[in-house]
Every structure is written in structure tokens, then in C-alpha cells.
Amino acid sequence: MRMTPILASLLTGSAVLLSGCSLAPCIDAVREATGTAPLPSGGTAPLPSGGTAPLPSGARIDLLEPYDAGRIPVLFVHGIGGSPRDFQAMLDALDRERFQAWVLQYPTDLRLQAAARDMRRLLAGLQQEHRFTSLIIVAHSMGGLVSRRFLIDALDEEDPGGARVLITFSSPWSGNEWAGVGARLVPDPPGPWIDLAPDSAFLASVREPLARVPHYVFFGYRRGPSLLTSLSSDGAITLESQIPEWIQQQAERYWGFDADHAGILSSGPALGRLNALLAHEAGRIRSGGSAKAPLR
């Protein structure tokens, strides 16, 4: 089995020198173990209808249809190694009478604080152009960390973003042990591995309370053994990392689904809950901040 000797060599601290594999397979192994490998994507890529010019890093936000001031923007933020195609099922199911879809694309090698700064610059440009008064962010995996850091920074400096909501799927709030292994052993590791190491300063920074923005947390679990961990997980990220105690205390609500790390984005029950949540938040935003009915 390809993963077995590679993971064994990582555990002994000699991934490159003793594993007998070239650097590229070792990097691929850590990508798989950290959930930073590209997700399998099906369907047709979303076609943009406008958006921002790319920043020097390559990050940009695409509007998948012409801007409409009467509909709430929903910004989809992929994980490291992902793309907007990962959200195809969500985009297909989105209520286009209430919402308009935006997607953030950013390079996979950015440090996560840099990705959060880019996200802020791009949204500031769209805010100046369209003066939107509300925004819902739906983020997967590491995209959740980037999005929460963006919101913390924006709220600290009181920028005029209007009503905002954060919804995250399968995010590694406590990091990933394999990211720390990769950061230590692979020469010139991708920036996200440094930030995803469990003791990183970046992970400590996202624990700051997110004032005035409800944060809803979706997490996945997959029955059966995993080659990547003996702990309960979604096959890539442990439950301990997806729903640490501080997230349980700070989240507005959280829900778990029997789905793996990629599959949660197209899980029927998860999509149903997401659409109900979006409808609830649309009602709350339209009513000036008070939901018309309790969320069930």
C-alpha cells in the first residue's frame, strides 16, 4: 500500500532520507494526511460574471452572476488545495431568489494570515463598488480558518461590512499533527503547514471571540478505520480538531454528519441543514437582526 511506508517514515522523522521516496511523493503523503490535497470535483466549473482583479498573489473573488442589490451575497471559501468546484452541489442548491453566489480563489501556498489579508482587500474593493449591507461566508476546511481570521481583523478595525454570518465545514481548529510533521521535515514546506501545526501562533489567534457575528459549525465523522489517524475523524481531520471545546462554547450552533472530509460538501442531510440555515439567516438579516422564528 503506497501510504504505509511513507507514513511510517514520517513517524520516524526521516521522511526524505530514509523512506526511499522522492520529495514529491512525500509531499503528496503529507497533503493527504493533512486534508490539503485537492478534493475530487465533478460537474462544470462555475462561470464568473464579474468580480475583482487578481491581487499580486493571484487571489481574487468571482461573482458567478451580475451583482443584484436585492439578494444577499454568499461567499464560498475553499480549503487549501481546493477550488470553487468543491462547492458545486451547494451552488446548484442555492436559492437564487434570495442569494447570489461569490467564490474566493487563492493560492495554496499562502500563509493563512496572508490569505485572510487578501480576502479583506478583495471584499473591501467589492464593498466600495457595490455597498452591500450583508454577507454570508460558507467555508470548508482551512478556508474556515482564513475566514474567521478575516472577520476577527475586520471587526477589530470596525470596517463597514454590514451584517455578517460565518458557516464553516470540517475546519481543523486545533490544527493537524501531520501538518507539523510536514513543516518540520519537508524543506521549504507550504505555508499552510506551518500555520496548521497544533502549536502555531496562527491557530491561537483564531480563538479570539468573534463578536457580533454568529458562527455555525458543521463537522463530519466517518465510521470505520482511517489510515491517517486512530482517533475519531472525517477521514482527514479529527473530531477533536473540528469541534474543540472552545468552538463548542463560541459557536452559535453546531451539527455533525456521517460524511468524510470532501463528502460533507455534497451530503444530502448537510445540504438540507445549510439551506435551512441560510433561509433562517436571511430572515434575521431582513428583519434587522432578530430572527422571525427560532432555528431548529
Side-chain angles (χ1 to χ4, degrees), residues 124-275:
L126 287 171
Q127 169 65 222
Q128 185 174 15
E129 180 178 359
H130 298 300
R131 302 296 178 185
F132 57 89
T133 59
S134 57
L135 176 69
I136 297 174
I137 300 172
V138 176
H140 178 244
S141 193
M142 275 61 72
L145 304 180
V146 172
S147 299
R148 186 173 171 100
R149 185 66 252 174
F150 150 71
L151 286 167
I152 290 171
D153 291 341
L155 293 169
D156 282 348
E157 298 188 19
E158 299 183 352
D159 72 350
R164 287 179 279 205
V165 179
L166 177 62
I167 304 170
T168 59
F169 285 76
S170 305
S171 290
W173 302 108
S174 297
N176 185 287
E177 293 290 347
W178 287 109
V181 171
R184 291 194 303 272
L185 299 180
V186 176
D188 192 22
W193 293 359
I194 299 170
D195 295 323
L196 288 171
D199 59 352
S200 76
F202 180 85
L203 288 179
S205 78
V206 298
R207 295 188 180 190
E208 184 177 333
L210 195 55
R212 304 188 305 280
V213 175
H215 181 182
Y216 297 95
V217 174
F218 288 60
F219 65 92
Y221 53 88
R222 178 90 289 182
R223 296 186 180 96
S226 168
L227 289 174
L228 306 181
T229 178
S230 61
L231 302 176
S232 298
S233 73
D234 65 359
I237 307 300
T238 64
L239 286 182
E240 182 181 15
S241 187
Q242 291 183 74
I243 49 169
E245 184 177 355
W246 71 268
I247 275 288
Q248 296 179 48
Q249 292 174 346
Q250 293 192 30
E252 192 79 10
R253 292 282 297 275
Y254 53 92
W255 299 274
F257 298 90
D258 184 4
D260 64 24
H261 192 66
I264 195 170
L265 297 179
S266 56
S267 159
L271 287 177
R273 168 51 60 191
L274 173 63
N275 287 333

Side-chain angles (χ1 to χ4, degrees), residues 1 6 11 15 21 25 39 41 47 51 84 110 121 132-133 141 143 148 157 171 221 245 247 273 285-286 293:
M1 208 173 192
I6 296 174
L11 281 171
C21 66
L39 298 178
S41 302
L47 297 176
L110 283 181
R121 289 177 62 189
F132 57 89
T133 59
S141 193
R148 186 173 171 100
E157 298 188 19
S171 290
Y221 53 88
E245 184 177 355
I247 275 288
R273 168 51 60 191
I285 290 169
R286 297 304 190 203

